Amino acid sequence: MKLAAAPLPRRQPSPLRGLPRLEEGPSTAGGSRLPKPFALARSSLFTGAQVPGRGGSPMGKASQRKRAGGTRDHTVPQMYLRHFAQHRARRQYELRVRRIDKLDRPFPAMTASIGAEVGFYWGATLDGKAHHACEELFTLLEGQAETVLKTILDDREWALTPQWPLASAQRSSLAWWMAAQVLRTTRQRKRLAHLHLPAEPDDVPEEIAHLAANNPHLRYIVGNIAAMAASFYGRPWGLGFSDMCLLTSDVPVVIWNRPDEEDQLLALAHSDVMLPLDPHRLLFLPSPRQRMRDPHKRADHLLHVSGAIGMALVDVAFDVADEFVVYHPHHDPWEHWSPSGPRQPKPWVGETHSAPEYLMEYPVFPAHLNIEHRWTKEHPPRRKAAS
């Protein structure tokens, strides 16, 4: 693989000043702004107030076109999955999927058909009205994060964008989006149900009782997303290239060693965090331990993951998946890797085995070097066995 000199990155963005800022909305106590759909979701879930969206309704136009609870809500954003998919035709992106309970049976699937749950993000207000406010929030966050991901991944020359570190506004958009990916998953809902959070009142109207059952998870999302976004925003980020083909799953943002901790904010603060971005690139947020040992990791940086370390990253992403993993049809990790050892236990199905633990040490990649973009799509020729 060829390394080459690249333009030096821009200066590090300014330190965190309150919560990340997105679209203008109601002020928080600290004076920072929150996205309008966030205010809507919070009001719907915690106060029952009808905060009108577009058209005077507590739900957006897309939600209004479907009966309450009838939408196919994607628990992993399609725009994210497309980075692991082969473009077949207009709006047709094909993945390879393996379900955790049928790993030996990979199958093709379009991004629109995987990770969709009917009515998953519908809820009920305190005064008994259906709302889709969390889905509207996710739509806003995905739209802004998609632009940032294009900046990171679409440079025509370099695998590691010269536009690194990200500008403050870009960083904010991606921090909010990553927080949503931690909180919105099917694994998160099962974890919360296992903790026996307070159930909804018995006097909920029968026609929306099935929607009200989602409220504990939706409240958890709304109650934690701003603080989690601030935590992401305020720590150093590493943008990495992996020689090994990567996969992702229905738990795209991986909190190392603590994926199911009761206090997710505390777990996030003390852990390495990984987000696969496409078959060969990832974000890696080093833990306080790593930052204490290596001063170069106390600021945004680059990394090049080679050899067995790349296989370990696949292990980490695989071990935390809830129901399925996905990968690009031309970048199959199974060509060089296979699962080994126990995965992260699921207490809600009675699993009590010890959880695997991970530790990764890596050198910071020199900022004046880069990797040619073609290696995000091509693979070096296989080495011939010695005769």
Side-chain angles (χ1 to χ4, degrees):
M1 182 175 300
K2 183 180 178 182
L3 302 182
L8 290 174
R10 295 199 306 262
R11 290 193 309 166
Q12 186 79 6
S14 59
L16 175 66
R17 298 174 183 173
L19 290 173
R21 180 172 179 169
L22 288 173
E23 181 181 337
E24 293 292 327
S27 296
T28 63
S32 58
R33 298 283 181 174
L34 298 172
K36 288 178 181 177
F38 174 82
L40 168 59
R42 184 174 58 181
S43 296
S44 296
L45 286 163
F46 288 103
T47 68
Q50 295 297 294
V51 181
R54 297 170 187 166
S57 168
M59 61 186 76
K61 292 181 180 178
S63 299
Q64 292 179 55
R65 288 194 292 266
K66 296 281 187 177
R67 64 178 177 82
T71 56
R72 295 177 74 249
D73 296 342
H74 284 85
T75 61
V76 187
Q78 294 183 70
M79 72 86 173
Y80 169 71
L81 292 176
R82 283 197 289 269
H83 294 292
F84 293 85
Q86 183 177 9
H87 189 197
R88 291 292 193 184
R90 185 173 180 267
R91 297 185 180 178
Q92 296 293 311
Y93 296 85
E94 184 180 293
L95 302 155
R96 284 293 180 274
V97 184
R98 292 183 190 245
R99 296 203 174 275
I100 298 302
D101 58 353
K102 298 177 181 178
L103 283 175
D104 59 341
R105 302 179 191 175
F107 61 93
M110 296 298 173
T111 55
S113 63
I114 194 71
E117 302 276 346
V118 175
F120 196 76
Y121 298 119
W122 282 86
T125 64
L126 295 181
D127 55 357
K129 292 183 173 60
H131 75 84
H132 209 199
C134 277
E135 179 65 21
E136 301 296 329
L137 171 61
F138 296 150
T139 299
L140 169 72
L141 300 183
E142 288 164 20
Q144 300 202 5
E146 184 174 18
T147 302
V148 182
L149 291 177
K150 288 179 179 179
T151 297
I152 296 174
L153 300 175
D154 289 356
D155 188 272
R156 293 185 178 183
E157 292 187 68
W158 306 111
L160 301 172
T161 176
Q163 305 300 314
W164 189 263
L166 296 173
S168 181
Q170 294 172 314
R171 188 186 189 88
S172 294
S173 295
L174 202 53
W176 274 93
W177 181 81
M178 286 193 293
Q181 306 327 302
V182 173
L183 297 168
R184 70 186 290 182
T185 65
T186 55
R187 186 179 186 108
Q188 189 74 261
R189 180 165 295 186
K190 293 169 185 175
R191 183 190 73 83
L192 293 170
H194 184 66
L195 293 176
H196 304 294
L197 296 182
E200 292 304 291
D202 294 332
D203 58 353
V204 173
E206 182 178 351
E207 61 272 16
I208 65 164
H210 65 294
L211 306 182
N214 297 337
N215 279 3
H217 184 202
L218 303 184
R219 284 200 190 96
Y220 187 81
I221 293 170
V222 173
N224 288 276
I225 190 169
M228 190 166 283
S231 179
F232 276 127
Y233 183 92
R235 61 190 290 179
W237 294 9
L239 174 62
F241 180 91
S242 169
D243 294 347
M244 175 70 185
C245 296
L246 303 174
L247 54 74
T248 190
S249 79
D250 49 3
V251 183
V253 177
V254 183
I255 300 176
W256 283 37
N257 300 328
R258 301 176 177 90
D260 302 309
E261 286 290 312
E262 183 170 350
D263 190 332
Q264 292 276 282
L265 287 169
L266 187 63
L268 176 67
H270 287 278
S271 303
D272 295 315
V273 178
M274 179 180 73
L275 170 66
L277 297 173
D278 73 3
H280 286 281
R281 286 171 289 184
L282 68 149
L283 285 180
F284 190 85
L285 283 60
S287 65
R289 177 186 176 278
Q290 293 231 34
R291 304 198 299 266
M292 184 181 301
R293 293 165 63 95
D294 187 348
H296 294 97
K297 296 173 185 172
R298 297 173 191 169
D300 287 359
H301 55 279
L302 303 174
L303 59 147
H304 177 200
V305 180
S306 59
I309 298 178
M311 294 187 184
L313 295 184
V314 178
D315 274 326
V316 175
F318 172 80
D319 286 348
V320 78
D322 183 29
E323 297 179 358
F324 63 84
V325 295
V326 301
Y327 51 90
H328 193 284
H330 296 163
H331 299 264
D332 185 348
W334 266 262
E335 290 188 8
H336 306 281
W337 167 92
S338 61
S340 61
R343 299 187 336 112
Q344 292 288 343
K346 297 179 177 180
W348 47 91
V349 295
E351 295 179 356
T352 58
H353 60 264
S354 298
E357 295 189 359
Y358 322 101
L359 177 64
M360 184 176 88
E361 297 287 352
Y362 64 92
V364 168
F365 191 64
H368 67 283
L369 296 180
N370 212 316
I371 297 166
E372 292 178 318
H373 184 270
R374 70 189 182 101
W375 295 116
T376 66
K377 303 183 184 302
E378 301 176 25
H379 295 130
R382 293 178 182 272
R383 295 180 180 177
K384 294 182 179 179
S387 56

